[in-house]
Amino acid sequence: MELLSGADMIARFLKDEGVEYIYGYPGGAALHIYDALFRQDDVKHILVRHEQAATHAADGYARASGKPGTVLVTSGPGATNAVTGIATAYMDSIPMVVLCGQVASHLIGEDAFQETDIIGVTRPIVKHSFSIRHPSEIPMVLKKAYYLAASGRPGPVVVDIPKDMTAPTERYEYVYPKKVKLRSYNPVTRGHTGQIKKAVELMLKARRPVFYTGGGVITGNACEGLADLVQRLGYPITTTLMGIGAYPQSDRQSLGWLGMHGSYESNMAMHHADLIVAIGARFDDRVTNNTSKFCPTAKIVHVDIDPSSISKTVRADVPIVGPAGSVINEMISLVQGREPANPEALAEWWEKIDGWREERRGKLYEPAEASEPLKPQQVIETVCRLTRGEAFVTTDVGQHQMFAAQYYKFDKPHRFITSGGLGTMGFGFPAAMGIKQSYPDDDVVCITGEGSFQMMMQELSTCKQFGIGVKIVNLNNGSLGMVRQWQDLNYKSRHAHSYMESLPDFQKLIEAYGFTAIKVERHEDLEPALERAFADKTELVFLDIYVDPREHVYPMQVPLGAMRDMLLSKTERT
């Protein structure tokens, strides 16, 4: 029988659970745990410079690897600094376990130093939370936390750990729990066969079908099955922002991604479809625009592991509760050996889609002349070409995020890493750090803007300490570009606080941390600078690329319109 303190149980459990990295920042209430981590070598702790960065780094690790990320913070401000990252993971269904130090049990509710009711604070933005009441329950509570985080619809789980639960003087029996049982939690493992049969009959009879797939296909490891199903049927497919890479974007059947800044052909196809097969997507408002005008002629099949997501915003004609992978596999078995009932209508449908594609070919943006400022779209296209479309690309939030999604072409899942639901500025850089440590031999590129980068730029110090060689591409337009775009369109170009008039000299700032920074202002310098950046995968390089501050992101859906109502440029609309 092995006797361990609560703190040593935590360290041992993390090793037994196969946790590779824990991202955190120490403080009084968590010091027993930190001491336990110091006395072992199996789990590597990454000391960030702000707790928000710990959650984003763990989030990036989880999105790229598919395994839950792990965070350790102290009580009070340590825990509240993690809230934005917890909410980010919750909105995008990312598995994460956040271990929070707490004041000693007898002080809870006394307004003690650095006390916050973090369970109360995070209740709306976690999948579940636990408070440790006795050291002996630590192994089972942690096992439940990791199981809950990764199963069903994934999400963040908070574990609140009062300091006296980790005291080194009290020891209890430690056994790693191999199984976990939760009486009230039984995530479905397969869809209803009758509903799947109904869906397949609709799919085979459809005249203008579209697959609409989201991040649930990626988190459900269902991408191979999806490609098989889509190619068997020969139907068009579009993805959400979170679903980018679930289906190869270079394939002819891919229409790109849809929604507010999605491709013209994907939004037009959705609007005119007679059947939408939604898998692992939740009909977010960035996709649907005005739900009363959404896809007026379409019947809707909706597959989701979370029953609360089905018919929440758009009514499903055939709801299917189940994991994307098993539902898709069952659909494949039902369509095998069968042909769509309306081949002529499908041929006409493809003709229509190809016509929409042709309408926009060569009109996506106006390439800049050599004497004009660089266009952000050109920068992304060059990054894509030089990395052969194989890099892990993280983004912050704003125009650069949309340009990265539009002009970097992803053929693999888990490669486009962005804050979709919460839209968190500051996400991209620490997320890239979390990915790079697990994939040291891959290019990991953070596409950012000077507004977002300044929110987490202190993490350059973390990269220095741990040798994390990410590439940072800063599309510098001297402003909060997306805010400014909305002000141009809706506020007669009254740019209220969207210009940044006191930017640092990024080159000197990066060099102060001991890294390489390259300033790019001319067209002829772009490719050599990027080639230099990608020459060594172990080196952090910051590219400060000055781009046209007047550029807008198009297409852009007209607010409160249908999916087909789009602005196509500053002077054109559908």
Side-chain angles (χ1 to χ4, degrees), residues 42-348:
D42 298 294
V43 182
K44 189 165 187 191
H45 180 276
I46 307 300
L47 175 67
V48 295
R49 275 35 176 186
H50 190 289
E51 290 89 350
Q52 184 177 333
T55 51
H56 292 332
D59 184 322
Y61 166 87
R63 292 183 201 231
S65 69
K67 296 182 276 192
T70 305
V71 176
L72 173 59
V73 294
T74 193
S75 64
T80 56
N81 278 350
V83 167
T84 299
I86 293 169
T88 302
Y90 179 75
M91 290 288 278
D92 289 345
S93 305
I94 304 304
M96 183 192 294
V97 175
V98 182
L99 308 175
C100 294
Q102 181 56 282
V103 300
S105 304
H106 70 280
L107 293 173
I108 290 174
E110 301 285 326
D111 292 335
F113 177 66
Q114 290 194 331
E115 181 193 354
T116 300
D117 174 12
I118 197 60
I119 287 187
V121 169
T122 59
R123 188 164 278 120
I125 52 166
V126 294
K127 186 173 177 184
H128 195 66
S129 48
F130 295 95
S131 181
I132 301 294
R133 302 293 167 87
H134 193 273
S136 62
E137 69 182 32
I138 285 172
M140 184 50 81
V141 167
L142 292 183
K143 187 68 181 173
K144 287 176 180 177
Y146 279 89
Y147 171 65
L148 282 165
S151 59
R153 180 180 179 174
V157 176
V158 163
V159 184
D160 196 40
I161 310 169
K163 188 170 184 178
D164 52 320
M165 298 295 111
T166 58
T169 51
E170 292 186 36
R171 298 180 176 219
Y172 298 90
E173 185 182 358
Y174 171 82
V175 178
Y176 173 71
K178 292 198 164 58
K179 286 184 180 173
V180 63
K181 213 172 181 186
L182 289 159
R183 193 175 53 190
S184 58
Y185 177 74
N186 294 297
V188 290
T189 55
R190 58 193 304 269
H192 187 282
T193 299
Q195 292 294 91
I196 296 171
K197 281 179 179 168
K198 271 191 212 170
V200 167
E201 290 312 310
L202 281 178
M203 287 154 64
L204 291 170
K205 286 176 190 164
R207 303 171 71 84
R208 300 185 307 281
V210 177
F211 278 94
Y212 152 53
T213 57
V217 173
I218 295 174
T219 54
N221 297 315
C223 300
E224 280 184 32
L226 176 71
D228 185 355
L229 178 63
V230 169
Q231 285 160 16
R232 277 175 193 271
L233 292 167
Y235 293 173
I237 177 169
T238 180
T239 73
T240 64
L241 190 73
M242 292 300 301
I244 287 176
Y247 187 87
Q249 289 190 315
S250 60
D251 188 82
R252 179 184 175 269
Q253 286 170 244
S254 170
L255 308 185
W257 54 282
L258 79 171
M260 179 174 275
H261 294 292
S263 73
Y264 175 73
E265 56 267 33
S266 67
N267 285 347
M268 293 299 279
M270 284 288 285
H271 181 82
H272 292 282
D274 71 344
L275 177 69
I276 289 162
V277 183
I279 307 177
R282 58 186 177 88
F283 293 88
D284 176 72
D285 63 291
R286 300 287 101 166
V287 165
T288 60
N289 205 356
N290 186 342
T291 51
S292 68
K293 299 177 183 177
F294 177 72
C295 305
T297 57
K299 277 198 157 40
I300 290 172
V301 171
H302 190 181
V303 180
D304 204 290
I305 197 160
D306 179 7
S308 72
S309 288
I310 296 179
S311 293
K312 184 165 73 175
T313 54
V314 173
R315 194 182 73 80
D317 296 284
V318 183
I320 302 170
V321 179
S326 74
V327 172
I328 287 169
N329 288 341
E330 212 167 323
M331 285 178 168
I332 291 168
S333 68
L334 290 169
V335 300
Q336 267 176 344
R338 298 179 69 186
E339 296 292 325
N342 297 296
E344 286 170 16
L346 288 170
E348 279 176 34

